[in-house]
């Protein structure tokens, strides 16, 4: 059964199976099952329908090759017997309990490793696709356990001195959960210890504003005390004994620096198959195999990279290293990697020397290196091992031609999700029946989000905060194209913010073309159309278009009937370009 996915039938079957799983190896009575499935309002045929569901579930297990009866009849109902099998939720609780014990024994790195293993068991929202009050209550309980484990892992990593490595992850978590004081506390601590005192103070101010606006209360005493300590420049660093313990433990525990998986990750099976083939089966003698994931902002490059890396971590027993290159310089990353790999003493301050030391440290070891949000080959080059047993996974918008010299290169352009995957993501985040009520309206919402994961997450977040809205209410607002990006931009790392950064990285001519091409009446166009809109020679226009293609802001459609190359806007990117044009036009009008 390991690795097999079973397809369970409709909502009632899923509800019955969930009720049995939540009480695995315990008898669940007929009456309890009826209460859970129909929430106190059962039909007269309820007992018969439960019996039909049980029979169907038994058939599913048998057809999958489960050689013993899984759901056994036991007065006064049924029991799901897991003899010889395991349940992720139970395994999660065991690992968390083990981490608590290891923490008490001052075995900090091992405790962190146990929590990473526990959190890696989460492949999506708890009880996703089960729409019943008992499931919602249990899902909320499991989600809270997960968040507590995430917070405890953050505390352990800060004790181990990983404040720089954890910054990006904590920023994303605080953006998603702005009212969790403990996460905000750890983010402020990590920012301060990374030399980002002003950012730590800004994080406090943002939290105070959220707390007052949302619940009418100021932040708690611990956060205020930390804020005051930062103002005084009087925040204690990790103690020397803790650091010494970390160095001792790292000799026996392989570095595992991968962030947590996106709980709502869906799809991407083809891309993962290609990555398996390139990174797990191919071998090169003199260099490491590399997979380079590119795609437009918000398309899910990092989520895919982390999901694959987590799933494949057991292939790299010596180390799994992670770095966000938008937030860290190559030399800082090398220093982090060297410390994680157990290198002690003074580290080289020269980039070339540090890179040489790093390659020596991974020599002969099976290591996975994930380099997230890379913008240039200059950033990446010092971080590439020359060891044939290592594998490298790079994400970013820009395709680096220099990587083509590596014989083990796989380059994948990540596109939008399929309609089914987009629907699954919406349903998973919402955890209620609104996405199922009016399928055509939900499909319209998916299209308005451009099947883009970040936009879909933002749409679901809007619906979560507006429990009285139906999907139609949000669709009606998004159909006003001038306001769509604003409606779908939540938090500091929103789709609009990412597109803003992409445009800021363009040179002046390409930024002009980005705004100017949004004047075209149709999202599909050819070079001749672009040259007319930009009022320039076709060859110059083509160069600018290709620059935007390389920046993942335009897509290549193919060739038209006359053999001309055709290009296409993604709708949300086009709306951003139109907003950029309006801002430029307004600025020129008032003389800015």
């Amino acid at each position: 059964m390991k690795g097999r996915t079973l397809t369970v039938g409709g909502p009632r079957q899923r509800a019955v199976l969930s009720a049995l799983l939540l009480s695995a190896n315990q008898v669940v009575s007929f009456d309890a099952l009826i209460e859970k499935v129909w929430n106190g309002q059962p039909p007269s045929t309820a007992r018969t329908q439960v019996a039909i569901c049980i029979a169907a579930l038994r058939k599913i297990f048998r057809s999958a090759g489960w050689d013993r009866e899984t759901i056994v009849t036991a007065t006064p109902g049924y029991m799901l017997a897991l003899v010889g099998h395991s349940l992720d939720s139970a395994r999660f609780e065991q690992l968390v309990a083990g981490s608590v014990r290891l923490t008490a024994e001052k075995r900090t790195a091992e405790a962190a490793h146990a929590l990473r293993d526990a959190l890696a068991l989460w492949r999506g929202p708890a009880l996703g696709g089960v729409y019943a009050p008992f499931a919602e209550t249990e899902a909320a309980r499991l989600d809270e356990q997960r968040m507590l484990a995430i917070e405890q892992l953050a505390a352990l990593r800060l004790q181990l001195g990983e404040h720089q490595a954890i910054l990006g992850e904590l920023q994303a978590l605080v953006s998603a959960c702005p009212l969790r004081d403990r996460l905000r506390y750890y983010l402020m601590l990590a920012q301060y210890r990374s030399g980002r005192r002003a950012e730590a103070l800004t994080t406090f101010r943002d939290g105070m504003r959220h707390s007052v606006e949302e619940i009418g209360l100021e932040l708690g005493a611990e956060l205020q005390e930390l804020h005051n300590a930062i103002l005084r420049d009087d925040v204690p660093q990790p103690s020397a004994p803790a650091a010494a313990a970390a160095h001792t433990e790292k000799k026996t525990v392989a570095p595992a620096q991968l962030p947590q998986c996106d709980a709502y990750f869906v799809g991407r099976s083809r891309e993962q198959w290609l990555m398996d083939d390139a990174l797990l089966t191919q071998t090169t003698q003199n260099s490491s195999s590399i997979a380079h994931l590119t795609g437009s902002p918000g398309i899910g490059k990092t989520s895919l990279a982390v999901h694959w890396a987590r799933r494949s971590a057991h292939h790299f027993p010596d180390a799994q290293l992670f770095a966000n290159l938008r937030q860290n310089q190559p030399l800082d990353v090398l220093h982090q990697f060297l410390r994680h790999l157990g290198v002690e003493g003074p580290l080289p301050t020269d980039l070339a020397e540090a890179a040489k030391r790093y390659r020596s440290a991974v020599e002969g070891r099976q290591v996975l290196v994930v380099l997230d949000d890379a913008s240039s080959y200059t950033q990446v080059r010092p971080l590439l091992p020359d060891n044939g047993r290592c594998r490298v996974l790079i994400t970013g918008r820009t395709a680096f031609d220099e990587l083509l010299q590596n014989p083990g290169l796989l380059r994948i352009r990540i596109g939008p999700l399929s309609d089914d995957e987009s629907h699954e993501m919406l349903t998973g985040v919402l955890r209620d029946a609104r996405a199922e009520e009016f399928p055509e309206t939900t499909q319209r919402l998916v299209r308005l989000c451009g099947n883009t994961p970040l936009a879909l997450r933002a749409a679901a977040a809007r619906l979560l905060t507006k429990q009285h809205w139906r999907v139609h209410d949000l669709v009606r607002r998004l159909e006003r194209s001038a306001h769509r990006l604003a409606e779908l931009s939540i938090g500091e790392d929103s789709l609009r913010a990412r597109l803003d950064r992409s445009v800021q990285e363009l040179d002046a001519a390409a930024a002009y073309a980005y705004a100017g091409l949004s004047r075209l009446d149709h999202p599909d166009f050819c070079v001749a159309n672009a040259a007319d809109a930009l009022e320039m020679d076709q060859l110059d226009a083509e160069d600018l278009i290709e620059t935007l293609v390389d920046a993942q802001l335009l897509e290549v459609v193919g060739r038209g009937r006359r053999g001309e190359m055709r290009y296409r806007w993604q709708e949300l990117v086009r709306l951003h370009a139109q907003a950029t044009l309006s801002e430029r036009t307004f600025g020129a009008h008032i003389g800015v």
Side-chain angles (χ1 to χ4, degrees):
M1 288 293 293
K2 186 176 180 180
R4 291 283 302 277
T5 299
L6 304 186
T7 301
V8 180
R12 197 164 297 127
Q13 273 189 35
R14 294 198 294 270
V16 169
L17 178 58
S18 298
L20 293 172
L21 284 168
L22 290 169
S23 300
N25 297 319
Q26 300 176 39
V27 176
V28 182
S29 70
F30 248 118
D31 291 340
L33 285 173
I34 290 170
E35 171 66 26
K36 290 177 183 296
V37 173
W38 284 280
N39 194 30
Q41 296 179 320
S44 58
T45 58
R47 293 182 71 87
T48 302
Q49 291 192 44
V50 167
I52 291 172
C53 287
I54 294 292
L57 290 169
R58 284 170 168 167
K59 183 177 179 181
I60 289 170
F61 283 117
R62 283 197 300 270
S63 63
W66 210 308
D67 56 358
R68 68 175 69 194
E69 195 69 85
T70 309
I71 302 175
V72 298
T73 302
T75 305
Y78 300 98
M79 180 178 71
L80 192 144
L82 284 178
V83 179
H85 302 283
S86 64
L87 196 61
D88 281 351
S89 60
R91 177 64 178 153
F92 173 82
E93 291 176 357
Q94 291 168 1
L95 287 166
V96 170
S99 176
V100 171
R101 176 179 54 78
L102 291 166
T103 301
E105 296 171 358
K106 309 294 185 185
R107 296 159 66 184
T108 310
E110 292 178 71
H113 190 77
L115 283 179
R116 286 192 183 93
D117 287 346
L119 291 165
L121 295 170
W122 286 76
R123 299 176 178 85
L127 298 173
V130 183
Y131 310 114
F134 85 91
E136 292 175 9
T137 301
E138 188 63 21
R141 183 187 71 82
L142 291 169
D143 278 346
E144 179 60 20
Q145 286 187 352
R146 173 177 171 268
M147 291 306 302
L148 290 172
I150 287 173
E151 290 172 348
Q152 179 59 21
L153 178 57
L156 293 171
R157 294 183 67 182
L158 286 169
Q159 287 181 41
L160 293 169
E162 298 178 16
H163 39 270
Q164 289 186 326
I166 201 175
L167 261 179
E169 184 179 336
L170 282 172
Q171 286 170 333
L173 286 166
V174 169
S175 178
C177 309
L179 296 179
R180 290 193 78 96
D181 284 5
R182 182 54 48 184
L183 286 176
R184 190 172 297 275
Y185 183 97
Y186 293 144
L187 174 57
M188 289 172 61
L189 197 57
Q191 288 171 325
Y192 178 83
R193 289 179 178 171
S194 300
R196 302 183 182 189
R197 183 168 176 261
E199 290 182 23
L201 295 172
T202 300
T203 297
F204 177 84
R205 288 195 297 272
D206 290 345
M208 184 68 80
R209 176 174 52 81
H210 272 292
S211 188
V212 170
E213 290 178 356
E214 294 293 328
I215 60 176
L217 295 174
E218 293 189 346
L219 292 175
E222 279 191 315
L223 273 169
Q224 298 205 35
E225 288 172 8
L226 178 60
H227 173 255
N228 294 335
I230 291 172
L231 286 173
R232 297 191 307 268
D233 225 1
D234 187 28
V235 179
Q237 296 292 329
S239 63
H247 284 308
T248 301
E249 290 169 0
K250 282 178 184 176
K251 294 177 181 178
T252 57
V253 179
Q257 305 305 318
L258 299 174
Q260 302 307 318
C261 288
D262 178 355
Y264 303 106
F265 177 86
V266 298
R268 309 300 192 195
S269 55
R270 173 184 172 275
E271 290 84 351
Q272 291 187 71
W273 180 87
L274 291 171
M275 293 159 70
D276 285 347
D277 184 60
L279 300 181
L280 301 182
T281 61
Q282 295 185 18
T283 58
T284 55
Q285 295 298 319
N286 300 318
S287 61
S288 52
S289 294
I290 299 173
H292 188 195
L293 310 182
T294 63
S296 60
I299 206 67
K301 302 179 290 294
T302 300
S303 292
L304 171 58
V306 172
H307 180 86
W308 183 89
R310 281 274 183 184
R311 180 173 64 81
S312 308
H314 61 284
H315 290 280
F316 306 97
D318 296 320
Q320 304 109 45
L321 305 174
F322 179 92
N324 184 313
L325 297 184
R326 182 168 63 86
Q327 298 173 340
N328 297 282
Q329 297 298 316
L331 183 60
D332 294 331
V333 173
L334 284 170
H335 285 176
Q336 292 172 30
F337 283 0
L338 288 168
R339 289 303 188 209
H340 293 325
L341 292 165
V343 176
E344 301 182 2
L347 297 177
T349 57
D350 177 74
L351 181 62
E353 284 299 317
K356 184 177 179 181
R357 187 88 172 267
Y358 160 65
R359 293 187 179 107
S360 296
V362 299
E363 181 65 33
R365 301 169 77 172
Q366 290 179 281
V367 176
L368 174 63
V369 183
V370 182
L371 305 176
D372 187 41
D373 209 355
S375 60
S376 70
Y377 184 70
T378 303
Q379 280 184 309
V380 167
R381 179 65 189 96
L383 306 171
L384 298 180
D386 53 9
N387 171 10
R389 302 184 73 193
C390 293
R391 298 292 181 264
V392 182
L393 185 50
I394 303 171
T395 76
R397 295 186 306 277
T398 307
F400 314 136
D401 290 341
E402 296 91 337
L403 288 175
L404 294 173
Q405 62 188 335
N406 187 294
L409 175 67
L410 167 71
R411 182 173 288 165
I412 305 177
R413 189 182 190 283
I414 309 301
L417 295 171
S418 69
D419 289 348
D420 287 343
E421 290 166 347
S422 300
H423 188 279
E424 182 181 349
M425 175 172 281
L426 280 174
T427 304
V429 179
L430 284 176
R431 290 204 210 105
D432 60 31
R434 281 181 288 177
E436 309 287 349
E437 288 176 337
F438 302 100
E440 291 183 2
T441 307
T442 301
Q443 188 59 41
R444 176 64 177 153
L445 176 60
V446 164
R447 296 294 168 79
L448 288 169
C449 293
N451 295 71
T452 301
L454 189 59
L456 290 163
R457 292 280 295 272
R462 292 282 286 154
L463 289 170
L464 279 175
T465 59
K466 300 288 185 181
Q467 290 290 329
H468 56 287
W469 281 10
R470 289 186 171 184
V471 174
H472 170 76
D473 296 309
L474 180 57
V475 166
R476 179 169 47 83
R477 299 173 74 91
L478 295 182
E479 285 178 334
R480 301 181 302 172
S481 59
H483 303 280
R484 192 179 310 166
L485 266 179
E487 293 282 350
L488 294 175
S489 293
I490 299 174
E492 297 177 357
D493 200 28
S494 66
L495 180 59
R496 181 167 57 185
R498 296 190 188 191
L499 288 167
D500 285 343
R501 289 198 297 267
S502 296
V503 175
Q504 289 165 7
E505 293 171 3
L506 298 172
D507 61 34
Y512 165 80
Y514 178 77
L517 290 173
S518 69
R519 295 191 190 99
L520 293 168
D521 295 331
H522 200 273
D524 289 13
F525 59 90
C526 65
V527 172
N529 303 141
D532 289 342
L534 299 176
E535 299 179 344
M536 63 175 58
D537 175 81
Q538 288 195 21
L539 192 57
D540 291 336
E542 184 176 17
D543 287 343
L544 292 174
I545 290 171
E546 289 296 332
T547 298
L548 296 177
V549 170
D550 291 342
Q552 309 298 327
L553 295 170
L554 285 177
E555 297 177 341
V556 179
V557 179
R559 295 194 178 273
R561 286 177 294 181
R562 300 175 182 176
E564 76 281 10
M565 189 67 73
R566 298 197 65 82
Y567 303 88
R568 178 173 59 205
W569 287 104
Q570 286 186 26
E571 182 60 18
L572 293 176
V573 179
R574 187 187 187 200
L575 292 176
H576 181 268
Q578 289 172 343
T580 303
L581 177 64
S582 297
E583 291 168 4
R584 287 171 177 265
T585 303
F586 178 72
H589 177 68
I590 63 174
V592 175

